[in-house]
């Protein structure tokens, strides 16, 4: 029986900035995978007909001069659409690329970009939750894929196209194993509670030991070296709190305001859903939304005693 052909489009975009509602794509690259094998590629620079943010140029290195003679969005998007077709797209942090393509489709074709999106970053987090980073470089290093010019669209796309089939295989294997465990869900919950209690106890024990080590160093103790060669030292680091209203102008002048200040998204969500805002202010806050994410957490409810 012939093997079913599975086609996926691995892609990456570079943009004028991060806000998909205001910024535009300036470089697009895609690779067509058939059953995990590279079959065809497509890449292009795009003239966005607008300013490229310095913060973005610092990442991808694409300057206004490089895109001055490139095709404009309306000219190149039909070719991009033809290459992607109706196949699923694969991207690292797929919501970013999907959102920019969706805005471009709405401007040019007056319709939404509705292709299924597969997020390789989400899959990577599921496979390797213990890693400190789940960026594209970490993914390619995990699967021994060389990366030469990170943050250019085709280089990133090629790196992902080579790593994704290996990632997908492990992800599907894990998913298959998880499905087979569903019949044991009651036993697994009991086992989960035992492990959770053990972890809580071990964390308390570690904190107790750390308190002793801290006391040892504060009383003048020297660094401690184990037989393995690991050495424990005691370091302190001072940090300052800043009054935002006094430094806001300086940060904005440096173009560093967004990097220095992290918005409390949960607080803003509560404001939008509350009763204290005027309709005008609520509209302003909602129009400032740039991304949509969803957090799903397990919660253990204790019995009433």
């Amino acid at each position: 029986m012939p093997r079913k052909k599975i086609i996926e489009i691995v892609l990456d975009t570079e943009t004028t900035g991060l806000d998909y509602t205001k910024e535009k794509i300036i470089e697009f690259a895609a690779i067509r995978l058939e059953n995990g094998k590279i079959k065809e590629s497509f890449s292009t620079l795009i003239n966005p007909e607008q300013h490229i943010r310095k913060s973005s140029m610092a990442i991808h290195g694409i300057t206004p001069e490089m895109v001055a003679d490139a095709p404009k969005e309306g000219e190149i998007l039909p070719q991009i659409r033809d290459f992607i077709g109706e196949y699923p797209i694969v991207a690292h942090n797929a919501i970013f690329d999907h959102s920019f393509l969706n805005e471009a489709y709405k401007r040019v074709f007056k319709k939404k970009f509705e292709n299924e999106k597969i997020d390789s970053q989400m899959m990577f987090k599921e496979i390797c939750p213990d890693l400190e980073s789940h960026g594209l470089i970490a993914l390619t290093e995990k699967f021994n894929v060389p990366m030469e010019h990170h943050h250019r669209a085709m280089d990133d796309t090629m790196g992902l196209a080579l790593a994704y089939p290996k990632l997908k295989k492990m992800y599907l294997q894990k998913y298959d194993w998880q499905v087979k465990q569903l019949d044991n869900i009651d036993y697994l919950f009991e086992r989960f509670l035992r492990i959770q209690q053990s972890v809580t106890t071990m964390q308390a024990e570690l904190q107790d030991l750390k308190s002793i080590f801290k006391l040892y160093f504060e009383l003048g103790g020297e660094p401690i070296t184990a037989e393995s060669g690991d050495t424990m030292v005691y370091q302190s680091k001072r940090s300052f709190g800043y009054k935002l209203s006094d430094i806001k102008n300086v940060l904005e002048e440096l173009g560093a305001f967004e990097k220095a200040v992290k918005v409390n998204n949960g607080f803003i969500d509560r404001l939008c859903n509350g009763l204290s805002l005027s309709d005008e202010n609520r509209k302003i806050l909602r129009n400032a939304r740039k991304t949509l994410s969803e957090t799903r957490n397990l919660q253990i409810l204790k019995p009433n005693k």
Side-chain angles (χ1 to χ4, degrees):
M1 189 175 190
R3 184 182 180 189
K4 180 182 178 182
K5 183 185 292 187
I6 298 176
I7 298 176
E8 296 162 307
I9 307 297
V10 180
L11 60 79
D12 183 57
T13 59
E14 303 299 341
T15 62
T16 58
L18 299 178
D19 185 351
Y20 66 87
T21 65
K22 299 176 182 177
E23 310 295 344
K24 291 183 178 180
I25 300 170
I26 56 174
E27 188 175 35
F28 172 88
I31 290 176
R32 176 187 174 109
L33 291 182
E34 293 185 9
N35 294 331
K37 303 294 183 182
I38 295 175
K39 293 298 181 181
E40 191 179 356
S41 65
F42 174 87
S43 66
T44 181
L45 288 169
I46 302 173
N47 184 343
E49 300 183 278
Q50 69 179 55
H51 175 70
I52 303 175
R53 292 184 180 273
K54 290 183 179 179
S55 56
S56 296
M57 280 192 280
I59 295 173
H60 49 57
I62 301 173
T63 64
E65 293 74 22
M66 293 169 63
V67 299
D69 296 325
K72 297 177 176 62
E73 182 181 75
E75 298 168 343
I76 196 63
L77 210 62
Q79 294 182 48
I80 292 175
R81 179 186 59 183
D82 290 345
F83 188 87
I84 295 175
E86 297 181 354
Y87 298 113
I89 67 164
V90 180
H92 214 62
N93 187 26
I95 187 66
F96 179 86
D97 304 277
H98 194 280
S99 297
F100 273 90
L101 284 168
N102 185 53
E103 293 299 315
Y105 267 54
K106 288 193 293 185
R107 284 190 295 268
V108 176
F109 304 126
K110 311 303 179 187
K111 60 179 290 188
K112 293 182 178 180
F113 178 65
E114 297 181 325
N115 295 46
E116 176 191 354
K117 60 180 181 293
I118 299 172
D119 190 346
S120 55
Q121 187 174 58
M122 179 278 295
M123 296 169 66
F124 190 31
K125 289 179 180 179
E126 184 73 20
I127 293 299
C128 301
D130 55 317
L131 295 183
E132 290 185 6
S133 171
H134 292 93
L136 182 57
I137 291 180
L139 173 64
T140 54
E141 288 178 349
K142 171 68 177 178
F143 292 106
N144 299 314
V145 172
M147 284 280 288
E148 294 183 6
H149 303 291
H150 184 42
H151 285 309
R152 284 303 300 268
M154 181 48 76
D155 293 297
D156 284 0
T157 301
M158 181 60 71
L160 181 55
L162 293 171
Y164 172 70
K166 303 174 184 179
L167 172 67
K168 180 180 179 181
K169 179 180 179 182
M170 293 184 66
Y171 181 81
L172 292 178
Q173 287 174 340
K174 181 174 182 180
Y175 180 76
D176 181 63
W177 173 79
Q178 289 174 325
V179 170
K180 291 176 180 176
Q181 305 307 311
L182 293 180
D183 288 340
N184 306 318
I185 201 70
D186 292 332
Y187 162 72
L188 291 175
F189 182 47
E190 296 292 336
R191 186 176 175 184
F192 173 86
L193 291 175
R194 292 199 304 271
I195 294 174
Q196 184 183 60
Q197 183 56 52
S198 297
V199 170
T200 300
T201 301
M202 293 300 292
Q203 287 176 334
E205 290 294 315
L206 283 173
Q207 190 58 49
D208 196 26
L209 289 172
K210 286 181 179 179
S211 296
I212 298 172
F213 292 132
K214 182 179 178 181
L215 178 61
Y216 164 80
F217 284 115
E218 289 182 346
L219 292 176
E222 297 295 324
I224 310 166
T225 301
E227 292 296 325
S228 63
D230 293 354
T231 301
M232 177 182 286
V233 297
Y234 189 48
Q235 298 176 328
S236 63
K237 180 182 178 181
R238 294 183 178 183
S239 60
F240 296 92
Y242 294 88
K243 186 176 180 180
L244 181 59
S245 59
D246 289 349
I247 65 173
K248 184 174 182 290
N249 291 339
V250 175
L251 293 174
E252 289 180 338
E253 183 179 335
L254 294 171
F257 184 79
E258 291 188 3
K259 185 175 181 179
V261 179
K262 183 177 181 180
V263 175
N264 186 331
N265 293 316
F267 175 71
I268 303 300
D269 282 342
R270 290 193 294 273
L271 277 179
C272 288
N273 296 327
L275 302 175
S276 61
L277 289 179
S278 66
D279 289 342
E280 181 181 358
N281 285 335
R282 181 176 286 105
K283 182 178 180 181
I284 292 173
L285 291 182
R286 288 181 172 173
N287 286 340
R289 291 171 171 170
K290 297 197 299 183
T291 59
L292 174 64
S293 61
E294 182 180 39
T295 302
R296 300 182 182 185
N297 294 314
L298 295 171
Q299 184 177 8
I300 306 298
L301 303 177
K302 296 294 184 181
N304 294 324
K305 294 185 179 180

